[in-house]
Amino acid sequence: MPRPAARVLTLLDLLQSGGTRTVAELAERLGVDGRTVRRYVDQLIDLDVPVESVRGRYGGYRLGPGYRVPPLMFGDEEALAVLLGLVAGRRAGLTTAQRTANETAAAKIRRVLPRHLAGRLDALLESLSFTERAGEFASPDAEVLLTLADAVRHRRPVAVRYTDREGRRSDRTLHPYGIVAHAGRWYVTGRDADRDEDRTLRLDRIADARVLPGSFAAPEGPDPADRVVTGFATAPYRYEVTLRVRATPEHIRAHLPATVATLEEHEPGWQRVEIRAEHLDWLPPVLAALDRPFVIDGPTELRTLTHDFAARLAMYADRPGRR
């Protein structure tokens, strides 16, 4: 028979899973009567756990917001999920400016784990390796991130202080549409009210964000993630490349993702591909990897690079093998 303290912790675990739990449901799960359930709830309240009583036909108990985080209890799979999530987030660069928060959170969880589970998780983390190196990205400020998220939810304009890639600082009023995590960085996409144009801003370049009075209508068109990847593909660069490729969009996208190229059907079986790039030397190998008929409409420099690349391939292929 479980001891009362164990039942109180089990009650907390049930409440932490979310929603309102009826007294009858809790009594059945704990193996006690309704009066005992109420006594256990009082014990949690004495420990400053914010348990709320809900009246009505579907009433019972639920956890309410409080000034401190109640004790957390994880099962084996839950602890594994949390720790792996922390490891993956740190490697991907999807952390806040407080880099130590990731490590301290993981340390707190591991410190309270049962010995047998801690040993198994340590064995997994020690044997785990990744095919890609850990990302080294500048991270956004946690308060900026949370302020922008709240503004997105409630469609509120925000005043932001932004530093662009040239190091120029400016104060802007933004109507934020959404927050997007892409390739190890955080972005906010929205309408720049001062310039009356859609913009995508890196969150780590925002030094301050303040919610302003008023609201704005939800935008029409692509969702925030589509706006970000389209913005990358259409941003101004040194070269504007135009190709025609006889292939399906799916085949082309396997080599030229939406962040790199825009596609449009040119004629049956052919796709018009537009790419903006600072350098062209990476494109001939990609065209070779496509292994489909293509036409280079421009620029001329790409035709020259592709001819040279093809000549090198032919020269390497004609070399006799070593005996």
Side-chain angles (χ1 to χ4, degrees):
M1 183 72 65
R3 292 176 295 175
R7 291 200 187 100
V8 172
L9 291 176
T10 301
L11 171 61
L12 177 58
D13 190 33
L14 292 171
L15 294 176
Q16 283 185 146
S17 63
T20 300
R21 303 278 186 167
T22 65
V23 174
E25 177 188 0
L26 293 172
E28 181 181 356
R29 295 289 297 273
L30 297 173
V32 298
D33 57 26
R35 181 180 299 178
T36 304
V37 169
R38 294 183 181 91
R39 188 170 70 249
Y40 290 165
V41 168
D42 289 339
Q43 292 180 31
L44 289 177
I45 294 174
D46 288 342
L47 294 171
D48 290 334
V49 177
V51 181
E52 294 180 344
S53 176
V54 181
R55 298 183 180 277
R57 180 181 178 184
Y58 300 102
Y61 294 104
R62 68 186 179 196
L63 282 184
Y67 68 92
R68 64 176 64 176
V69 178
L72 297 177
M73 293 180 294
F74 294 110
D76 291 11
E77 291 186 358
E78 292 172 328
L80 176 61
V82 171
L83 285 176
L84 288 181
L86 291 171
V87 171
R90 183 171 66 248
R91 289 187 59 87
L94 300 181
T95 59
T96 66
Q98 300 296 326
R99 290 183 176 272
T100 57
N102 192 292
E103 285 78 6
T104 56
K108 288 179 180 179
I109 294 173
R110 294 171 70 174
R111 186 165 57 245
V112 299
L113 290 176
R115 183 173 300 177
H116 78 281
L117 179 56
R120 297 180 68 187
L121 291 179
D122 284 341
L124 171 61
L125 295 176
E126 289 173 5
S127 62
L128 183 63
S129 58
F130 295 84
T131 57
E132 297 181 355
R133 299 179 62 181
E136 292 294 336
F137 301 105
S139 299
D141 179 82
E143 185 60 30
V144 168
L145 179 62
L146 294 175
T147 298
L148 288 171
D150 187 69
V152 169
R153 170 181 283 185
H154 297 101
R155 300 296 177 195
R156 299 283 299 278
V158 290
V160 299
R161 183 162 299 162
Y162 190 71
T163 303
D164 65 17
R165 61 183 177 183
E166 305 297 331
R168 295 170 298 197
R169 298 180 179 180
S170 60
D171 293 326
R172 309 185 186 194
T173 300
L174 184 70
H175 295 174
Y177 299 158
I179 295 172
V180 179
H182 172 71
R185 295 194 187 279
W186 294 90
Y187 298 89
V188 58
T189 180
R191 191 76 176 173
D192 189 323
D194 301 320
R195 295 168 173 79
D196 194 27
E197 60 183 9
D198 286 346
R199 296 298 304 272
T200 295
L201 307 179
R202 271 176 44 180
L203 261 66
D204 60 282
R205 291 178 176 166
I206 297 177
D208 182 62
R210 177 171 49 88
V211 177
L212 300 174
S215 62
F216 61 91
E220 298 181 357
D223 64 24
D226 288 338
R227 290 176 184 272
V228 169
V229 296
T230 301
F232 284 135
T234 58
Y237 287 99
R238 180 180 178 186
Y239 295 102
E240 295 187 4
V241 177
T242 305
L243 310 167
R244 284 171 285 155
V245 183
R246 193 170 72 184
T248 64
E250 294 76 15
H251 182 83
I252 297 173
R253 280 291 181 231
H255 302 273
L256 294 168
T259 53
V260 173
T262 59
L263 303 184
E264 180 182 354
E265 186 175 14
H266 177 69
E267 57 185 62
W270 287 78
Q271 297 292 321
R272 179 183 177 88
V273 182
E274 293 186 352
I275 302 168
R276 288 170 170 79
E278 283 295 315
H279 307 281
L280 299 175
D281 52 356
W282 61 276
L283 266 172
V286 174
L287 296 178
L290 284 172
D291 194 24
R292 294 291 189 275
F294 64 85
V295 177
I296 300 174
D297 292 325
T300 302
E301 294 94 327
L302 180 57
R303 295 195 190 97
T304 302
L305 287 172
T306 304
H307 278 297
D308 293 343
F309 181 76
R312 290 198 302 274
L313 287 181
M315 179 183 65
Y316 298 150
D318 288 340
R319 286 180 178 175
R322 294 183 178 179
R323 298 182 180 277

